[in-house]
PDB file of all heavy atoms in Angstrom:
ATOM      1  N   ALA A 826      48.988 228.833 119.830  1.00 66.00           N
ATOM      2  CA  ALA A 826      49.119 227.550 119.090  1.00 66.00           C
ATOM      3  C   ALA A 826      50.087 226.613 119.805  1.00 66.00           C
ATOM      4  O   ALA A 826      49.825 225.412 119.860  1.00 66.00           O
ATOM      5  CB  ALA A 826      49.616 227.882 117.644  1.00 66.00           C
ATOM      6  N   VAL A 833      47.322 219.280 123.843  1.00 55.00           N
ATOM      7  CA  VAL A 833      46.906 218.156 123.074  1.00 55.00           C
ATOM      8  C   VAL A 833      47.982 217.087 123.291  1.00 55.00           C
ATOM      9  O   VAL A 833      47.613 215.871 123.544  1.00 55.00           O
ATOM     10  CB  VAL A 833      46.803 218.572 121.599  1.00 55.00           C
ATOM     11  CG1 VAL A 833      46.598 217.231 120.712  1.00 55.00           C
ATOM     12  CG2 VAL A 833      45.566 219.389 121.413  1.00 55.00           C
ATOM     13  N   SER A 835      49.978 216.447 125.751  1.00 61.00           N
ATOM     14  CA  SER A 835      50.135 215.959 127.085  1.00 61.00           C
ATOM     15  C   SER A 835      49.226 214.700 127.292  1.00 61.00           C
ATOM     16  O   SER A 835      49.572 213.871 128.079  1.00 61.00           O
ATOM     17  CB  SER A 835      49.807 217.027 128.106  1.00 61.00           C
ATOM     18  OG  SER A 835      48.439 217.376 127.998  1.00 61.00           O
ATOM     19  N   TYR A 845      52.750 213.079 115.276  1.00 94.00           N
ATOM     20  CA  TYR A 845      52.553 214.562 115.299  1.00 94.00           C
ATOM     21  C   TYR A 845      53.831 215.227 114.807  1.00 94.00           C
ATOM     22  O   TYR A 845      53.848 216.112 114.013  1.00 94.00           O
ATOM     23  CB  TYR A 845      52.167 215.018 116.698  1.00 94.00           C
ATOM     24  CG  TYR A 845      51.989 216.535 116.786  1.00 94.00           C
ATOM     25  CD1 TYR A 845      50.861 217.100 116.458  1.00 94.00           C
ATOM     26  CD2 TYR A 845      53.004 217.257 117.323  1.00 94.00           C
ATOM     27  CE1 TYR A 845      50.665 218.476 116.530  1.00 94.00           C
ATOM     28  CE2 TYR A 845      52.900 218.647 117.400  1.00 94.00           C
ATOM     29  CZ  TYR A 845      51.691 219.230 117.019  1.00 94.00           C
ATOM     30  OH  TYR A 845      51.523 220.594 117.159  1.00 94.00           O
ATOM     31  N   ASN A 847      56.308 213.949 113.067  1.00 93.00           N
ATOM     32  CA  ASN A 847      56.708 213.649 111.725  1.00 93.00           C
ATOM     33  C   ASN A 847      55.725 214.059 110.647  1.00 93.00           C
ATOM     34  O   ASN A 847      55.965 213.749 109.445  1.00 93.00           O
ATOM     35  CB  ASN A 847      56.973 212.121 111.658  1.00 93.00           C
ATOM     36  CG  ASN A 847      58.297 211.762 112.350  1.00 93.00           C
ATOM     37  OD1 ASN A 847      59.322 212.159 111.929  1.00 93.00           O
ATOM     38  ND2 ASN A 847      58.174 211.219 113.544  1.00 93.00           N
ATOM     39  N   ALA A 854      51.935 222.737 105.311  1.00 97.00           N
ATOM     40  CA  ALA A 854      51.632 222.941 103.871  1.00 97.00           C
ATOM     41  C   ALA A 854      50.095 222.997 103.699  1.00 97.00           C
ATOM     42  O   ALA A 854      49.602 223.865 102.910  1.00 97.00           O
ATOM     43  CB  ALA A 854      52.255 221.867 103.043  1.00 97.00           C
ATOM     44  N   GLY A 868      40.656 237.944  97.040  1.00 96.00           N
ATOM     45  CA  GLY A 868      41.311 239.023  96.270  1.00 96.00           C
ATOM     46  C   GLY A 868      42.242 239.824  97.252  1.00 96.00           C
ATOM     47  O   GLY A 868      42.902 240.785  96.728  1.00 96.00           O
ATOM     48  N   THR A 874      46.620 241.468 113.879  1.00 97.00           N
ATOM     49  CA  THR A 874      47.552 241.982 114.847  1.00 97.00           C
ATOM     50  C   THR A 874      46.755 241.918 116.178  1.00 97.00           C
ATOM     51  O   THR A 874      45.561 242.038 116.253  1.00 97.00           O
ATOM     52  CB  THR A 874      47.984 243.401 114.620  1.00 97.00           C
ATOM     53  OG1 THR A 874      46.893 244.248 114.481  1.00 97.00           O
ATOM     54  CG2 THR A 874      48.897 243.431 113.358  1.00 97.00           C
ATOM     55  N   TYR A 892      36.662 249.217 143.702  1.00 95.00           N
ATOM     56  CA  TYR A 892      36.964 250.670 143.300  1.00 95.00           C
ATOM     57  C   TYR A 892      37.122 250.707 141.826  1.00 95.00           C
ATOM     58  O   TYR A 892      37.423 249.643 141.160  1.00 95.00           O
ATOM     59  CB  TYR A 892      38.194 251.194 144.082  1.00 95.00           C
ATOM     60  CG  TYR A 892      39.493 250.451 143.676  1.00 95.00           C
ATOM     61  CD1 TYR A 892      40.385 251.018 142.748  1.00 95.00           C
ATOM     62  CD2 TYR A 892      39.825 249.248 144.378  1.00 95.00           C
ATOM     63  CE1 TYR A 892      41.565 250.355 142.410  1.00 95.00           C
ATOM     64  CE2 TYR A 892      41.038 248.683 144.033  1.00 95.00           C
ATOM     65  CZ  TYR A 892      41.841 249.243 143.083  1.00 95.00           C
ATOM     66  OH  TYR A 892      43.072 248.569 142.758  1.00 95.00           O
ATOM     67  N   THR A 901      42.124 241.164 118.818  1.00 97.00           N
ATOM     68  CA  THR A 901      42.769 240.878 117.546  1.00 97.00           C
ATOM     69  C   THR A 901      42.007 241.755 116.502  1.00 97.00           C
ATOM     70  O   THR A 901      40.856 241.818 116.421  1.00 97.00           O
ATOM     71  CB  THR A 901      42.554 239.388 117.148  1.00 97.00           C
ATOM     72  OG1 THR A 901      43.218 238.579 118.096  1.00 97.00           O
ATOM     73  CG2 THR A 901      43.216 239.116 115.727  1.00 97.00           C
ATOM     74  N   VAL A 902      42.906 242.495 115.690  1.00 97.00           N
ATOM     75  CA  VAL A 902      42.427 243.415 114.730  1.00 97.00           C
ATOM     76  C   VAL A 902      42.794 242.845 113.286  1.00 97.00           C
ATOM     77  O   VAL A 902      43.939 242.451 113.171  1.00 97.00           O
ATOM     78  CB  VAL A 902      42.973 244.779 114.903  1.00 97.00           C
ATOM     79  CG1 VAL A 902      42.544 245.753 113.769  1.00 97.00           C
ATOM     80  CG2 VAL A 902      42.627 245.357 116.259  1.00 97.00           C
ATOM     81  N   LEU A 917      50.548 228.822  95.518  1.00 97.00           N
ATOM     82  CA  LEU A 917      49.557 227.720  95.664  1.00 97.00           C
ATOM     83  C   LEU A 917      49.907 226.554  94.903  1.00 97.00           C
ATOM     84  O   LEU A 917      49.880 225.428  95.266  1.00 97.00           O
ATOM     85  CB  LEU A 917      48.188 228.365  95.425  1.00 97.00           C
ATOM     86  CG  LEU A 917      46.933 227.470  95.757  1.00 97.00           C
ATOM     87  CD1 LEU A 917      46.940 227.044  97.151  1.00 97.00           C
ATOM     88  CD2 LEU A 917      45.733 228.340  95.346  1.00 97.00           C
ATOM     89  N   ALA A 919      52.860 225.737  93.648  1.00 97.00           N
ATOM     90  CA  ALA A 919      54.056 225.107  94.167  1.00 97.00           C
ATOM     91  C   ALA A 919      53.689 224.189  95.369  1.00 97.00           C
ATOM     92  O   ALA A 919      54.249 223.045  95.387  1.00 97.00           O
ATOM     93  CB  ALA A 919      55.098 226.199  94.517  1.00 97.00           C
ATOM     94  N   LEU A 920      52.969 224.697  96.232  1.00 97.00           N
ATOM     95  CA  LEU A 920      52.614 223.887  97.431  1.00 97.00           C
ATOM     96  C   LEU A 920      51.783 222.673  97.006  1.00 97.00           C
ATOM     97  O   LEU A 920      51.960 221.581  97.569  1.00 97.00           O
ATOM     98  CB  LEU A 920      51.800 224.727  98.461  1.00 97.00           C
ATOM     99  CG  LEU A 920      52.663 225.554  99.345  1.00 97.00           C
ATOM    100  CD1 LEU A 920      51.769 226.505 100.180  1.00 97.00           C
ATOM    101  CD2 LEU A 920      53.538 224.709 100.234  1.00 97.00           C
ATOM    102  N   GLN A 923      53.965 219.916  95.816  1.00 97.00           N
ATOM    103  CA  GLN A 923      54.740 219.301  96.871  1.00 97.00           C
ATOM    104  C   GLN A 923      53.901 218.367  97.779  1.00 97.00           C
ATOM    105  O   GLN A 923      54.354 217.500  98.509  1.00 97.00           O
ATOM    106  CB  GLN A 923      55.349 220.330  97.866  1.00 97.00           C
ATOM    107  CG  GLN A 923      56.369 221.222  97.152  1.00 97.00           C
ATOM    108  CD  GLN A 923      56.795 222.383  98.029  1.00 97.00           C
ATOM    109  OE1 GLN A 923      56.446 222.407  99.263  1.00 97.00           O
ATOM    110  NE2 GLN A 923      57.596 223.229  97.518  1.00 97.00           N
ATOM    111  N   GLN A 928      52.509 213.955 101.618  1.00 96.00           N
ATOM    112  CA  GLN A 928      51.542 212.952 102.117  1.00 96.00           C
ATOM    113  C   GLN A 928      52.201 211.565 102.114  1.00 96.00           C
ATOM    114  O   GLN A 928      51.910 210.804 103.047  1.00 96.00           O
ATOM    115  CB  GLN A 928      50.344 212.958 101.129  1.00 96.00           C
ATOM    116  CG  GLN A 928      49.427 214.182 101.227  1.00 96.00           C
ATOM    117  CD  GLN A 928      48.406 214.332 100.144  1.00 96.00           C
ATOM    118  OE1 GLN A 928      48.612 213.889  99.039  1.00 96.00           O
ATOM    119  NE2 GLN A 928      47.354 215.070 100.442  1.00 96.00           N
ATOM    120  N   ALA A 931      54.343 211.505 105.171  1.00 95.00           N
ATOM    121  CA  ALA A 931      53.539 211.412 106.441  1.00 95.00           C
ATOM    122  C   ALA A 931      53.037 209.958 106.547  1.00 95.00           C
ATOM    123  O   ALA A 931      53.004 209.452 107.630  1.00 95.00           O
ATOM    124  CB  ALA A 931      52.494 212.388 106.350  1.00 95.00           C
ATOM    125  N   SER A 932      52.609 209.350 105.484  1.00 95.00           N
ATOM    126  CA  SER A 932      52.132 208.016 105.504  1.00 95.00           C
ATOM    127  C   SER A 932      53.201 206.975 105.992  1.00 95.00           C
ATOM    128  O   SER A 932      52.982 206.173 106.799  1.00 95.00           O
ATOM    129  CB  SER A 932      51.582 207.558 104.122  1.00 95.00           C
ATOM    130  OG  SER A 932      51.177 206.274 104.173  1.00 95.00           O
ATOM    131  N   GLN A 937      56.016 203.929 110.320  1.00 94.00           N
ATOM    132  CA  GLN A 937      57.160 203.706 111.172  1.00 94.00           C
ATOM    133  C   GLN A 937      56.915 203.986 112.668  1.00 94.00           C
ATOM    134  O   GLN A 937      57.390 203.278 113.521  1.00 94.00           O
ATOM    135  CB  GLN A 937      58.309 204.647 110.683  1.00 94.00           C
ATOM    136  CG  GLN A 937      58.862 204.202 109.439  1.00 94.00           C
ATOM    137  CD  GLN A 937      59.860 205.180 108.835  1.00 94.00           C
ATOM    138  OE1 GLN A 937      59.911 206.363 109.206  1.00 94.00           O
ATOM    139  NE2 GLN A 937      60.654 204.775 107.876  1.00 94.00           N
ATOM    140  N   CYS A 938      56.082 204.936 112.928  1.00 92.00           N
ATOM    141  CA  CYS A 938      55.749 205.289 114.360  1.00 92.00           C
ATOM    142  C   CYS A 938      54.897 204.164 114.957  1.00 92.00           C
ATOM    143  O   CYS A 938      55.100 203.839 116.074  1.00 92.00           O
ATOM    144  CB  CYS A 938      54.931 206.589 114.445  1.00 92.00           C
ATOM    145  SG  CYS A 938      55.960 208.035 114.050  1.00 92.00           S
ATOM    146  N   LEU A 941      57.431 201.462 115.771  1.00 89.00           N
ATOM    147  CA  LEU A 941      58.318 201.813 116.912  1.00 89.00           C
ATOM    148  C   LEU A 941      57.564 201.868 118.188  1.00 89.00           C
ATOM    149  O   LEU A 941      58.061 201.554 119.296  1.00 89.00           O
ATOM    150  CB  LEU A 941      58.921 203.275 116.638  1.00 89.00           C
ATOM    151  CG  LEU A 941      60.039 203.300 115.691  1.00 89.00           C
ATOM    152  CD1 LEU A 941      60.395 204.731 115.323  1.00 89.00           C
ATOM    153  CD2 LEU A 941      61.290 202.548 116.176  1.00 89.00           C
TER     154      LEU A 941
END
Side-chain angles (χ1 to χ4, degrees):
V833 169
S835 66
Y845 180 82
N847 289 291
T874 57
Y892 66 94
T901 301
V902 177
L917 191 54
L920 278 172
Q923 294 172 8
Q928 289 168 333
S932 178
Q937 288 174 342
C938 289
L941 285 171

